[in-house]
């Protein structure tokens, strides 16, 4: 029987699921099986071919922090039964930033090795202290974006890893072949955050203002509202070209790579996707409970072409003009502007494999990481 990695993913965005898919994909290439527990069905998980089980969640389902936006209280006995039925003593648990209560406690009772993937959180400036206090059964914390860091603090192994990004399953363009119009992608991530409607409305007004002055061949706008978006996208009158709205594109498409420009929020995963595509981008940082999207932007400033502004149509139009003037898209729409993939997911998969097998393997991985 292959080893199996089990993770929990939640959220109104796609950050957790996208990052976990990145790691689970690399583990699958090393022969692992996977199971993802989710708070809601995720089309993205299905498209990557991973098994998922929906576990009822509410505000008390996470350890150490509230789980916002989950609706009414649920029967935690059902959640415990689902996790107990799914988990095996031989499983390895990889938590992504948040730690699901039933999964953590069941894994602790079974003696499953547990790991935590951590990225910057305003409410968790010291992840080792947080783990020691709330989840002492977790032995290793992987620190995203801190490649080369290694320490042991309060009995917790801290390992810095490079940034990571989910591999796409293809590079198809969502725009018609041969279009001369400016191709603009407007992306709201998962779309479930309350600021998504305002962002999309402001983005379209800004594009209209910009296009009237700077797009003689017109525009072709693709709006990815997000699979969790439940609002309405109001398209302003007088748009000089088509505006297509869809909640989701399957991962065989690569909208950033084929866009002339993009408008988006600045979640961790979005920033890594922008760094891969190098598309000129107007970024409107979202307001999040614990995340700080401006931190991701500052950390990736040298790897992306972005202008940062607020959710205001005039400001967005000016930022779009600035970023396209300073960083015009010079490559054809065949993806030649793409940069190499961030390698953190592959390295983490190797380290997780070594850490759950034998020490000699772990030494080999650590040597690989230092190179």
């Amino acid at each position: 029987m292959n080893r199996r990695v089990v993770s929990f993913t939640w959220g109104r965005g796609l950050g957790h699921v996208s990052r976990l898919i990145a790691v689970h994909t690399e583990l699958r290439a090393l022969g692992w099986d996977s199971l993802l527990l989710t708070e809601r069905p995720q089309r993205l998980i299905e498209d990557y071919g991973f098994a998922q089980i929906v576990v009822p969640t509410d505000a008390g389902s996470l350890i150490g922090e509230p789980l916002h936006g989950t609706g009414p209280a649920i029967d935690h006995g059902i959640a415990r039964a689902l996790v107990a039925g799914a988990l095996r003593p031989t499983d390895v648990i990889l938590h992504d930033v948040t730690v699901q209560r039933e999964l953590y406690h069941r894994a602790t009772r079974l003696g499953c090795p547990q790991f935590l993937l951590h990225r910057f959180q305003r409410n968790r400036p010291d992840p080792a202290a947080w783990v020691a206090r709330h989840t002492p059964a977790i032995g290793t914390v992987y620190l995203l974006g801190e490649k080369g860091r290694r320490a042991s603090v309060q009995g917790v192994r801290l390992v810095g890893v490079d940034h990571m990004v989910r591999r796409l399953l293809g590079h198809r363009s969502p725009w018609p072949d041969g279009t001369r119009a400016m191709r603009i992608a407007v992306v709201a991530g998962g779309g479930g955050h309350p600021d998504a409607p305002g962002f999309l409305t402001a983005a379209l007004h800004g594009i209209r203002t910009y296009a009237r002055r700077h797009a003689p061949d017109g525009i072709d706008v693709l709006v990815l509202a997000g699979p969790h978006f439940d609002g309405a996208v109001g398209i302003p009158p007088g748009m000089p070209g088509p505006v297509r709205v869809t909640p989701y594109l399957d991962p065989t498409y690569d909208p950033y790579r084929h866009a002339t420009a993009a408008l988006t929020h600045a979640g961790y995963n979005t920033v890594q996707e922008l760094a891969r595509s190098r598309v000129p981008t107007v970024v409107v940082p979202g307001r999040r409970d614990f995340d700080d999207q401006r931190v991701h932007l500052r950390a990736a400033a040298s790897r992306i072409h972005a202008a940062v502004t607020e959710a205001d149509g005039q400001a967005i139009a000016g930022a779009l003009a600035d970023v396209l003037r300073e960083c015009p898209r010079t490559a054809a729409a065949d993806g030649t502007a793409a940069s190499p993939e961030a390698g953190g997911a592959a390295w983490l998969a190797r380290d997780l494999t070594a850490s759950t097998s034998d020490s000699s393997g772990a030494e080999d991985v650590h040597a690989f990481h230092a190179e």
Side-chain angles (χ1 to χ4, degrees):
M1 180 182 296
N2 292 343
R3 280 178 291 184
R4 187 174 70 165
V5 59
V6 179
S7 300
F8 171 77
T9 175
W10 77 281
R12 294 161 285 183
L14 291 176
H16 295 273
V17 65
S18 185
R19 195 162 42 244
L20 284 168
I21 285 174
V23 179
H24 281 237
T25 297
E26 299 295 342
L27 285 167
R28 179 165 57 187
L30 296 176
W32 289 64
D33 293 329
S34 290
L35 174 63
L36 287 160
L37 308 178
T38 69
E39 61 141 331
R40 65 186 78 187
Q42 294 279 4
R43 169 74 183 278
L44 197 62
I45 294 174
E46 178 183 337
D47 282 344
Y48 276 87
F50 292 114
Q52 62 180 311
I53 296 176
V54 177
V55 177
T57 55
D58 64 8
S61 294
L62 297 189
I63 294 177
E65 62 190 69
L67 181 56
H68 296 291
T70 56
I74 54 92
D75 182 353
H76 282 258
I78 296 176
R80 286 193 294 272
L82 286 170
V83 173
L87 213 58
R88 304 190 297 236
T90 54
D91 286 334
V92 174
I93 313 303
L94 177 63
H95 305 278
D96 179 77
V97 183
T98 58
V99 179
Q100 204 272 350
R101 189 176 304 277
E102 281 79 26
L103 175 60
Y104 171 79
H105 287 307
R106 181 63 179 174
T108 300
R109 287 193 290 273
L110 293 177
C112 301
Q114 299 190 61
F115 301 76
L116 174 66
L117 179 56
H118 174 81
R119 56 138 175 80
F120 172 82
Q121 290 276 95
R122 286 179 298 188
N123 65 320
R124 199 181 298 173
D126 186 345
W130 187 92
V131 166
R133 176 183 178 186
H134 294 286
T135 57
I138 293 176
T140 296
V141 178
Y142 293 110
L143 304 172
L144 273 176
E146 300 186 38
K147 181 179 179 179
R149 180 180 174 188
R150 290 187 62 197
S152 180
V153 180
Q154 299 188 50
V156 180
R157 175 181 172 239
L158 299 176
V159 182
V161 300
D162 197 4
H163 292 292
M164 61 181 61
V165 65
R166 170 175 52 86
R167 292 182 183 272
L168 294 172
L169 300 180
H171 297 292
R172 292 196 292 165
S173 172
W175 283 277
D177 292 338
T179 181
R180 294 181 58 193
M182 178 179 290
R183 301 171 305 278
I184 301 179
V186 182
V187 184
H193 289 282
D195 57 3
F199 161 69
L200 294 175
T201 298
L204 291 175
H205 279 84
I207 291 170
R208 181 183 62 178
T209 299
Y210 169 84
R212 286 174 172 175
R213 302 171 185 169
H214 303 287
D217 293 324
I219 56 169
D220 190 328
V221 180
L222 174 68
V223 178
L224 290 174
H228 307 315
F229 184 76
D230 59 2
V233 178
I235 301 174
M239 294 292 286
V243 178
R244 290 169 290 133
V245 180
T246 182
Y248 178 81
L249 281 180
D250 74 63
T252 63
Y253 287 95
D254 191 347
Y256 288 136
R257 180 180 295 226
H258 296 279
T260 310
L263 289 86
T264 185
H265 284 313
Y268 173 84
N269 296 281
T270 296
V271 169
Q272 306 317 312
E273 291 169 358
L274 296 176
R276 171 173 60 193
S277 69
R278 305 289 287 178
V279 62
T281 306
V282 173
V283 177
V284 179
R287 295 177 177 85
R288 301 293 179 262
D289 298 322
F290 304 125
D291 198 6
D292 188 335
Q293 299 195 336
R294 294 180 186 271
V295 168
H296 307 314
L297 288 169
R298 288 194 294 269
S302 64
R303 300 186 294 130
I304 61 176
H305 301 317
V308 182
T309 189
E310 302 300 322
D312 172 80
Q314 291 296 327
I316 287 172
L320 190 56
D322 289 343
V323 74
L324 284 170
R325 182 175 57 252
E326 295 171 5
C327 308
R329 194 67 181 260
T330 56
D334 60 0
T336 55
S339 298
E341 302 273 357
W347 187 89
L348 192 156
R350 288 166 57 95
D351 186 83
L352 195 69
T353 299
S355 298
T356 54
S357 54
D358 59 77
S359 59
S360 61
E363 290 172 0
D364 291 341
V365 173
H366 296 149
F368 169 80
H369 186 238
E371 290 176 355

